[in-house]
Amino acid sequence: MVNYFPEEVLEHVFSFLTSHRDRNAVSLVCKSWYNVERFSRGKVFIGNCYAISPERLISRFPRVRSLTLKGKPHFADFNLVLHDWGGYVYPWIEAMAKGCTNLEELRLKRMLVSDASLELIAKSFPNFKSLVLVSCEGFTTDGLAAIASNCRFLRELDLQENEVEDPRGQWLSCFPDSCTSLASLNFACLKGEVNLAALERLVARCRNLKSLRLNHAVPPDVLQKILARAPQLVDLGAGSFVHDPESETYNKLKNVMQKCTSIRSLSGFLDVNARCLPAIYPICINLSSLNLSYAPGIYSKELVKLIRKCKKLQCLWILDTIGDKGLRVVASACKELQELRVFKSDPNDVGNAAVTEEGLVAISAGCPNLNSLLYFCRQMTNTALITVAKNCPNFIRFRLCTLDPITPDAVTMQPLDNGFGAIVQSCKGLKRLSVSGLLTDQVFLYIGMYAEQLEMLSIAFAGNSDKGMVYVLNGCKKLKKLEIRDSPFGNMALLADTGKYETMRSLWMSSCKVTFGACKSLAEKMPRLNVEIINEGDEMEGGSDDRQNVEKMYLYRTLVGPRKDAPDSVWTL
Amino acid sequence: MEGYSRKDGGCPQLLDLIPTEKEWLTKSGEIKETSHGSSEEKQLELRLGPPNGDWTIKNNDTVRYFSPRSSSSGYQVKSQQQTTPFLQAHGQLKESSQPNCTRAEKKTFSAANTAVPNSSSAQKRTAPTPVVGWPPIRSFRKNLASGSSSKAGSESQNVVGSKISSEKATQNSPKSLLVKINMDGVPIGRKVDLKEHDSYEKLSSAVDELFRGLLAAQSNFSTGGIKNEEDGGKAITGLLDGSGEYTLVYEDNEGDRLLIGDVPWHMFVSSVKRLRVLKSSELPTLCRGRKHEKLS
């Protein structure tokens, strides 16, 4: 193709393309576009760290400044994957430290991050600005101390739900006095103490601080002092919110809160005395996002009093202690709601607190803009799902989780096939779906037929036969991630369309009916897939009997062949 | 992708899963009481459940189930006369897709799910058997739920640890009953195992032990003093009878806050969800009594 434009012009045009999908598309047009694009690409997203190697990344995108990497499969979140399965970030940092030192941003999810990795980041990238770690583990606050001490231009340190050891607890003091660039600091997941005086000083000197999420060790009196210094905050995660409502501290806090008119997003309350919640009433009207899902023991009536004031809420994460009654209040008060997540408050507590299909129907009726849902409920019915589908055709993410994985329609005792079928039929933009409850192959027929935009599907304890899985593989053209557990899908389904897997990021199957022999033949047939078998028991000993069912299989497309860092219990076939 | 093709060519006629008739719950809507449920449509319905016998019973249930709060404003739940028969292409579907989807199928679901020993198709709302990794909640949240506001060392574990704790969580261990306990003025909560005590007195002394040091440390910090580890702090007494500086109260499973000591120990243990140690001065001077004279 003749290139009518000089490269500078192309590069300038491409600079308006921010989505990696657009950039990927552009790079396929012709060789010269590919080259212009690759030199100008600043942000790279790698959904599976084993699909490509760091060396190849750097050779294609030498100017990358921002890297996003994801490691373990999603079901690792629920303890279905070994701790040491993989997802080490060190090799990436090592490679970048040699070849690409203008790295500014690193966003990692479900990866193993060692202190050594953090230390290497701290000393290798002089312009490093942003570190976001989600559901990672393997590091301690020593690693954080290294980041704090050395990254002179650090703007963002965002730790979400990581498992972090805290041997010394002094990492916060490691931010030098010269550090004034922090705009976002989230350490809510840390379990240890922090140096409160250092925290206050840090907040005072970082005038650009917009987002601050504290851990439980920050008491209300310190919170009050911090807010007094940082009324410009837009996003606040309160740590401990337990205090005596009669006290001086509480009064000061109330007064200071009133001045925090910029706060749009509120979370935390890791420890809370519900009688102190009125302190935040003044800012409720401004909130677009509220996350009380980490806040134990706030009863429904108190939650409701609070949420009722949040008329502009777009995103709400709560515990199911809110109850159906509470959800009805949400539906009547929060008309602009787009995302709702209702988490199980106590995994051991069956049937007491909980929400049912009624709450969901109420929300769907009251909140027409709802497009993202995660709903842990005690029961569900087809009728309710059909109603929801009709009321809210805009769902992009729909994840339903019944407490009992194979519970049928609570009224008719039938499978929930039709309910989910209605969802996929109505929600033409649906990209992510998790199904649960009693489900037959029928639901997969519907999904295959209707879910044209579906990219991620999670299945557990569902289906009757291979047909179910085949419907999905054949029908969902845009499917990227499929994860299945405890469902009767076997070799026929696995091998029905092997080419499909190269169009997907990954497939997870555990406790299904897939045998060693089938996995081996798949691996032989498709060299550009890594087919990994995870064995946690004594199946490792002796030969693999081809007819034996595989406990856990994870396959993914890759350009770099089998990985070399798998532990003994993971076999790549 | 070869194989199964969709709406075009050769495929079963589409299942209009959402009826176009306007009997839906709409945002402005009223309940439409009209029953579309002619017997013809009932017959068309593809059902996997039990035969007609149960049908009318279920209808009544449905109506009761959905109509009650229709008087409340804003939105009303549709009262449906029957589970909507929206599978209009019933006949074709049956041929093409589900030869093995018969009523007997429900029984085989449980066979397929080896991890769940009891088929819950027979049981509606009883406690499900615990399953590994179900419900799918991140360990991080599970730890929160079981009360991890205590020190770092015990919580941040390698996977073996977290595996164990998640399995514990799914097994409803009867060996311990941990409840969270917070004290006014102390930001860090603790946990107390009620199974280790069999009387209110023992509980009271356990609370004293738990918080005495913390309270002393707290006052040291606020006065800027150096924490003196030998100073065990003042004993916390009079928790049960209102005579001390602090009083022990608890929150039960309905969210009400009650004074400790009114009901027999075992009843207390079965209903308590959380403990609190409040300053006696801030309790309303109520007489101790039954639940309906509860604290606000």
Side-chain angles (χ1 to χ4, degrees), chain A residues 294-504:
Chain A
Y294 299 120
I298 308 182
Y299 291 103
S300 180
K301 46 189 184 232
E302 292 147 339
L303 278 177
V304 157
K305 262 198 264 178
L306 182 71
I307 296 176
R308 208 177 231 135
K309 298 178 184 292
C310 302
K311 304 271 188 210
K312 293 202 204 140
L313 211 58
Q314 292 175 14
C315 175
L316 176 63
W317 290 26
I318 31 166
L319 296 174
D320 62 4
T321 41
I322 192 170
D324 287 333
K325 253 169 67 169
L327 288 177
R328 285 190 198 105
V329 177
V330 172
S332 66
C334 308
K335 292 305 190 185
E336 299 181 32
L337 199 66
Q338 293 178 22
E339 174 173 338
L340 175 67
R341 297 197 189 192
V342 181
F343 292 94
K344 195 81 198 68
S345 54
D346 181 354
N348 300 332
D349 176 20
V350 177
N352 274 344
V355 292
T356 71
E357 75 279 8
E358 295 190 18
L360 184 59
V361 169
I363 292 279
S364 74
C367 308
N369 295 331
L370 197 64
N371 61 40
S372 175
L373 180 76
L374 172 62
Y375 199 73
F376 283 84
C377 56
R378 198 173 73 213
Q379 64 184 53
M380 186 50 57
T381 65
N382 284 308
T383 312
L385 285 173
I386 293 165
T387 308
V388 169
K390 183 75 173 184
N391 288 338
C392 295
N394 298 320
F395 273 114
I396 299 174
R397 282 176 291 275
F398 190 89
R399 295 157 69 188
L400 195 80
C401 179
T402 55
L403 192 59
D404 172 357
I406 52 171
T407 190
D409 180 314
V411 171
T412 65
M413 302 309 280
Q414 298 203 25
L416 291 173
D417 300 334
N418 292 341
F420 282 106
I423 294 285
V424 291
Q425 189 193 39
S426 166
C427 303
K428 312 231 185 286
L430 194 69
K431 288 193 179 168
R432 180 168 181 182
L433 178 65
S434 301
V435 295
S436 67
L438 188 64
L439 295 165
T440 72
D441 285 346
Q442 185 80 326
V443 71
F444 302 115
L445 174 70
Y446 295 148
I447 292 174
M449 272 184 181
Y450 292 109
E452 297 183 31
Q453 302 298 320
L454 196 66
E455 295 179 5
M456 181 168 176
L457 179 61
S458 306
I459 300 171
F461 303 95
N464 316 106
S465 76
D466 287 332
K467 283 203 163 93
M469 184 168 161
V470 171
Y471 291 142
V472 171
L473 292 175
N474 283 340
C476 300
K477 306 295 184 201
K478 299 210 175 167
L479 195 63
K480 296 245 166 327
K481 294 201 289 192
L482 180 57
E483 48 186 25
I484 307 174
R485 61 167 291 186
D486 294 275
S487 301
F489 305 136
N491 299 338
M492 190 284 262
L494 180 69
L495 299 173
D497 182 0
T498 56
K500 171 84 174 170
Y501 304 129
E502 282 192 359
T503 69
M504 290 167 55

Side-chain angles (χ1 to χ4, degrees), chain A residues 79 83 161 244 328 348 357-358 365 379 383 386 391 404 410-411 425 446 449-450 464 475 485 497, chain B residues 1 4 6 15 24-25 27 58 65 69 75 80 86 109 120 124 132 138 141 159 166 169 282:
Chain A
N79 293 328
H83 165 72
E161 298 196 351
D244 180 354
R328 285 190 198 105
N348 300 332
E357 75 279 8
E358 295 190 18
Q379 64 184 53
T383 312
I386 293 165
N391 288 338
D404 172 357
V411 171
Q425 189 193 39
Y446 295 148
M449 272 184 181
Y450 292 109
N464 316 106
R485 61 167 291 186
D497 182 0
Chain B
M1 220 63 43
Y4 188 81
R6 297 168 50 149
L15 320 162
W24 285 96
L25 165 70
K27 286 129 232 170
K58 292 294 188 293
Y65 202 68
R69 284 160 278 267
Y75 50 84
Q80 242 191 327
F86 44 75
F109 298 157
S120 64
K124 259 209 284 192
V132 172
R138 286 188 179 175
R141 278 190 188 277
V159 73
S166 75
E282 73 152 36

Side-chain angles (χ1 to χ4, degrees), chain A residues 516 520 535 538-548 571:
Chain A
F516 264 118
K520 281 202 291 202
N535 285 309
D538 34 27
E539 297 158 56
M540 289 165 52
E541 318 298 334
S544 46
D545 177 358
D546 278 6
R547 284 159 305 164
Q548 200 179 3
W571 294 352

Side-chain angles (χ1 to χ4, degrees), chain A residues 77-80 83 109-110 135 161-166 189 191-193 216 219 240 242 244-246 271-273 275 293-294 296-297 299 301 317 328 331-332 343-345 347-348 350 357-358 361-362 364-365 368 376 379 381 383 386-387 389-391 401-408 410-415 417-418 421-422 425-426 436 438 440-442 445-446 448-450 452 460-461 464-465 467 471 474-475 477 485-486 488 497 500 536, chain B residues 1-4 6-7 11-12 14-19 24-27 45-49 55 58 61-62 65-66 69 75 77 80 83 86-87 93 97-101 105-106 109 112-113 115-116 118-122 124-128 131-145 149-152 155-157 159 162-163 166 169-170 172 180 182-184 186-189 251-252 254-257 273-274 276 278-279 282:
Chain A
D77 283 351
F78 318 126
N79 293 328
L80 290 180
H83 165 72
K109 188 166 187 181
R110 271 182 231 113
S135 297
E161 298 196 351
N162 303 290
E163 294 287 345
V164 186
E165 298 255 1
D166 190 350
C189 64
K191 300 190 188 91
E193 305 298 317
H216 76 96
S240 165
V242 174
D244 180 354
E246 307 296 316
D271 212 2
V272 59
N273 177 350
R275 289 175 303 142
S293 66
Y294 299 120
Y299 291 103
K301 46 189 184 232
W317 290 26
R328 285 190 198 105
S332 66
F343 292 94
K344 195 81 198 68
S345 54
N348 300 332
V350 177
E357 75 279 8
E358 295 190 18
V361 169
S364 74
F376 283 84
Q379 64 184 53
T381 65
T383 312
I386 293 165
T387 308
K390 183 75 173 184
N391 288 338
C401 179
T402 55
L403 192 59
D404 172 357
I406 52 171
T407 190
V411 171
T412 65
M413 302 309 280
Q414 298 203 25
D417 300 334
N418 292 341
Q425 189 193 39
S426 166
S436 67
L438 188 64
T440 72
D441 285 346
Q442 185 80 326
L445 174 70
Y446 295 148
M449 272 184 181
Y450 292 109
E452 297 183 31
F461 303 95
N464 316 106
S465 76
K467 283 203 163 93
Y471 291 142
N474 283 340
K477 306 295 184 201
R485 61 167 291 186
D486 294 275
D497 182 0
K500 171 84 174 170
E536 288 162 46
Chain B
M1 220 63 43
E2 69 285 1
Y4 188 81
R6 297 168 50 149
K7 301 189 182 75
C11 158
L14 273 209
L15 320 162
D16 187 10
L17 292 161
I18 302 171
W24 285 96
L25 165 70
T26 55
K27 286 129 232 170
E45 176 158 354
L46 177 66
R47 280 187 278 116
L48 297 161
W55 200 243
K58 292 294 188 293
D61 282 350
T62 318
Y65 202 68
F66 282 105
R69 284 160 278 267
Y75 50 84
V77 180
Q80 242 191 327
T83 305
F86 44 75
L87 303 173
L93 237 199
S97 53
Q98 311 297 329
N100 51 353
C101 228
E105 205 54 29
K106 267 203 338 185
F109 298 157
N113 302 323
V116 181
N118 303 321
S119 160
S120 64
S121 55
K124 259 209 284 192
R125 286 163 221 203
T126 52
V131 172
V132 172
W134 194 271
I137 299 177
R138 286 188 179 175
S139 341
F140 191 83
R141 278 190 188 277
K142 277 204 181 137
N143 289 341
L144 287 181
S149 59
S150 46
K151 298 278 173 57
E155 260 31 83
S156 26
Q157 298 155 351
V159 73
S162 61
K163 246 193 173 153
S166 75
T170 54
N172 276 338
K180 289 182 89 165
N182 287 86
M183 183 163 183
D184 266 351
V186 177
I188 299 173
E251 290 171 13
D252 69 0
E254 290 177 14
D256 299 319
R257 196 169 273 193
K273 283 287 173 226
R274 211 188 153 109
R276 289 202 186 271
L278 304 178
K279 283 222 175 84
E282 73 152 36

